[in-house]
PDB file of all heavy atoms in Angstrom:
ATOM      1  N   PRO A 126      32.315  65.125  -8.673  1.00 39.00           N
ATOM      2  CA  PRO A 126      31.622  65.865  -7.820  1.00 39.00           C
ATOM      3  C   PRO A 126      30.120  66.062  -8.290  1.00 39.00           C
ATOM      4  O   PRO A 126      29.957  66.521  -9.398  1.00 39.00           O
ATOM      5  CB  PRO A 126      32.320  67.271  -7.687  1.00 39.00           C
ATOM      6  CG  PRO A 126      33.743  66.909  -8.098  1.00 39.00           C
ATOM      7  CD  PRO A 126      33.507  65.848  -9.155  1.00 39.00           C
ATOM      8  N   GLY A 142      34.743  76.684  -4.555  1.00 82.00           N
ATOM      9  CA  GLY A 142      36.146  76.103  -4.586  1.00 82.00           C
ATOM     10  C   GLY A 142      36.217  74.838  -5.476  1.00 82.00           C
ATOM     11  O   GLY A 142      35.414  74.559  -6.359  1.00 82.00           O
ATOM     12  N   ALA A 143      37.348  74.222  -5.235  1.00 87.00           N
ATOM     13  CA  ALA A 143      37.744  73.003  -6.017  1.00 87.00           C
ATOM     14  C   ALA A 143      38.579  72.105  -5.171  1.00 87.00           C
ATOM     15  O   ALA A 143      39.173  72.474  -4.252  1.00 87.00           O
ATOM     16  CB  ALA A 143      38.439  73.474  -7.260  1.00 87.00           C
ATOM     17  N   ILE A 144      38.672  70.885  -5.639  1.00 87.00           N
ATOM     18  CA  ILE A 144      39.530  69.863  -5.081  1.00 87.00           C
ATOM     19  C   ILE A 144      40.809  70.024  -5.837  1.00 87.00           C
ATOM     20  O   ILE A 144      40.794  69.962  -7.060  1.00 87.00           O
ATOM     21  CB  ILE A 144      39.018  68.401  -5.227  1.00 87.00           C
ATOM     22  CG1 ILE A 144      37.672  68.280  -4.444  1.00 87.00           C
ATOM     23  CG2 ILE A 144      40.092  67.453  -4.783  1.00 87.00           C
ATOM     24  CD1 ILE A 144      36.927  66.963  -4.746  1.00 87.00           C
ATOM     25  N   THR A 166      42.674  69.875 -11.059  1.00 92.00           N
ATOM     26  CA  THR A 166      41.725  70.593 -10.281  1.00 92.00           C
ATOM     27  C   THR A 166      40.383  70.105 -10.589  1.00 92.00           C
ATOM     28  O   THR A 166      39.995  70.017 -11.852  1.00 92.00           O
ATOM     29  CB  THR A 166      41.840  72.068 -10.541  1.00 92.00           C
ATOM     30  OG1 THR A 166      43.160  72.483 -10.219  1.00 92.00           O
ATOM     31  CG2 THR A 166      40.806  72.792  -9.784  1.00 92.00           C
ATOM     32  N   LEU A 167      39.577  69.728  -9.663  1.00 89.00           N
ATOM     33  CA  LEU A 167      38.234  69.328  -9.862  1.00 89.00           C
ATOM     34  C   LEU A 167      37.261  70.306  -9.206  1.00 89.00           C
ATOM     35  O   LEU A 167      37.201  70.376  -8.005  1.00 89.00           O
ATOM     36  CB  LEU A 167      37.990  67.882  -9.248  1.00 89.00           C
ATOM     37  CG  LEU A 167      38.928  66.736  -9.740  1.00 89.00           C
ATOM     38  CD1 LEU A 167      38.743  65.534  -8.900  1.00 89.00           C
ATOM     39  CD2 LEU A 167      38.613  66.496 -11.180  1.00 89.00           C
ATOM     40  N   PRO A 168      36.548  71.048 -10.036  1.00 87.00           N
ATOM     41  CA  PRO A 168      35.611  72.021  -9.442  1.00 87.00           C
ATOM     42  C   PRO A 168      34.574  71.376  -8.678  1.00 87.00           C
ATOM     43  O   PRO A 168      33.956  70.369  -9.167  1.00 87.00           O
ATOM     44  CB  PRO A 168      35.179  72.893 -10.586  1.00 87.00           C
ATOM     45  CG  PRO A 168      35.369  71.938 -11.728  1.00 87.00           C
ATOM     46  CD  PRO A 168      36.503  71.016 -11.449  1.00 87.00           C
ATOM     47  N   LEU A 169      34.110  71.999  -7.548  1.00 81.00           N
ATOM     48  CA  LEU A 169      32.905  71.522  -6.790  1.00 81.00           C
ATOM     49  C   LEU A 169      31.648  71.934  -7.603  1.00 81.00           C
ATOM     50  O   LEU A 169      31.677  72.932  -8.393  1.00 81.00           O
ATOM     51  CB  LEU A 169      32.883  72.161  -5.391  1.00 81.00           C
ATOM     52  CG  LEU A 169      33.923  71.661  -4.453  1.00 81.00           C
ATOM     53  CD1 LEU A 169      33.854  72.412  -3.148  1.00 81.00           C
ATOM     54  CD2 LEU A 169      33.929  70.148  -4.363  1.00 81.00           C
ATOM     55  N   ARG A 170      30.629  71.216  -7.343  1.00 77.00           N
ATOM     56  CA  ARG A 170      29.350  71.602  -7.997  1.00 77.00           C
ATOM     57  C   ARG A 170      29.330  71.370  -9.496  1.00 77.00           C
ATOM     58  O   ARG A 170      28.616  71.958 -10.290  1.00 77.00           O
ATOM     59  CB  ARG A 170      28.793  72.967  -7.715  1.00 77.00           C
ATOM     60  CG  ARG A 170      28.676  73.270  -6.173  1.00 77.00           C
ATOM     61  CD  ARG A 170      27.600  72.570  -5.475  1.00 77.00           C
ATOM     62  NE  ARG A 170      26.317  72.976  -5.932  1.00 77.00           N
ATOM     63  CZ  ARG A 170      25.222  72.262  -5.732  1.00 77.00           C
ATOM     64  NH1 ARG A 170      25.276  71.232  -5.017  1.00 77.00           N
ATOM     65  NH2 ARG A 170      24.016  72.738  -6.127  1.00 77.00           N
ATOM     66  N   GLN A 171      30.201  70.544  -9.983  1.00 79.00           N
ATOM     67  CA  GLN A 171      30.352  70.212 -11.370  1.00 79.00           C
ATOM     68  C   GLN A 171      30.320  68.707 -11.599  1.00 79.00           C
ATOM     69  O   GLN A 171      30.770  67.971 -10.689  1.00 79.00           O
ATOM     70  CB  GLN A 171      31.679  70.726 -12.066  1.00 79.00           C
ATOM     71  CG  GLN A 171      31.783  72.183 -11.859  1.00 79.00           C
ATOM     72  CD  GLN A 171      30.912  73.000 -12.827  1.00 79.00           C
ATOM     73  OE1 GLN A 171      30.692  72.511 -13.967  1.00 79.00           O
ATOM     74  NE2 GLN A 171      30.311  74.206 -12.394  1.00 79.00           N
ATOM     75  N   THR A 172      29.918  68.214 -12.683  1.00 80.00           N
ATOM     76  CA  THR A 172      30.060  66.782 -13.073  1.00 80.00           C
ATOM     77  C   THR A 172      31.387  66.724 -13.800  1.00 80.00           C
ATOM     78  O   THR A 172      31.525  67.405 -14.831  1.00 80.00           O
ATOM     79  CB  THR A 172      28.879  66.250 -13.810  1.00 80.00           C
ATOM     80  OG1 THR A 172      27.644  66.440 -13.012  1.00 80.00           O
ATOM     81  CG2 THR A 172      28.980  64.791 -14.218  1.00 80.00           C
ATOM     82  N   VAL A 173      32.211  65.759 -13.446  1.00 82.00           N
ATOM     83  CA  VAL A 173      33.503  65.648 -14.007  1.00 82.00           C
ATOM     84  C   VAL A 173      33.696  64.167 -14.459  1.00 82.00           C
ATOM     85  O   VAL A 173      33.404  63.225 -13.593  1.00 82.00           O
ATOM     86  CB  VAL A 173      34.643  66.024 -13.076  1.00 82.00           C
ATOM     87  CG1 VAL A 173      35.997  65.733 -13.717  1.00 82.00           C
ATOM     88  CG2 VAL A 173      34.480  67.439 -12.613  1.00 82.00           C
TER      89      VAL A 173
END
Side-chain angles (χ1 to χ4, degrees):
I144 297 170
T166 300
L167 301 172
L169 294 177
R170 305 290 293 164
Q171 301 285 322
T172 299
V173 177

